[in-house]
Amino acid sequence: MLYNSTKTSAGTVMPLLMGCTKPSRIVAVEDEDKVIYDPVSQTSVMDMRTVGTYSLKTATTKKKTGVGTVANVPDRKNQIDDQKNV
């Protein structure tokens, strides 16, 4: 699937891999495990994993640079900003 332009009608830029990746069909699970519910603890045990999207977050840290002077130093980290269990 190729795209003629790299912008949508709203003017936002599409991701670079949008036209490079080949589409594939969604495959449903054939033999699904039964969910076992525990009425005492009111939980059900399921094999799940957490999927999240990372984004670059910036936090500041106060650091002494000399006698009586303090500077704010930026700390950039990749942190999960959105997650769900699948």
Side-chain angles (χ1 to χ4, degrees):
M1 184 179 332
L2 296 174
Y3 294 96
N4 295 331
S5 64
T6 58
K7 291 187 178 183
T8 60
S9 61
T12 57
V13 178
M14 293 190 311
L16 292 174
L17 294 177
M18 194 93 167
C20 299
T21 56
K22 295 180 181 178
S24 61
R25 295 194 176 271
I26 298 173
V27 180
V29 176
E30 293 177 5
D31 50 337
E32 225 174 290
D33 295 334
K34 292 184 179 181
V35 178
I36 300 171
Y37 177 73
D38 184 14
V40 175
S41 64
Q42 297 183 354
T43 59
S44 57
V45 178
M46 301 175 101
D47 184 23
M48 300 176 77
R49 63 183 175 160
T50 303
V51 177
T53 55
Y54 285 87
S55 64
L56 188 63
K57 301 278 184 175
T58 303
T60 57
T61 304
K62 291 184 179 180
K63 184 177 179 182
K64 289 186 178 182
T65 56
V67 178
T69 59
V70 176
N72 289 330
V73 179
D75 297 327
R76 293 188 174 98
K77 297 177 186 176
N78 282 328
Q79 294 177 346
I80 293 179
D81 60 352
D82 184 25
Q83 67 182 11
K84 67 177 184 176
N85 295 326
V86 293

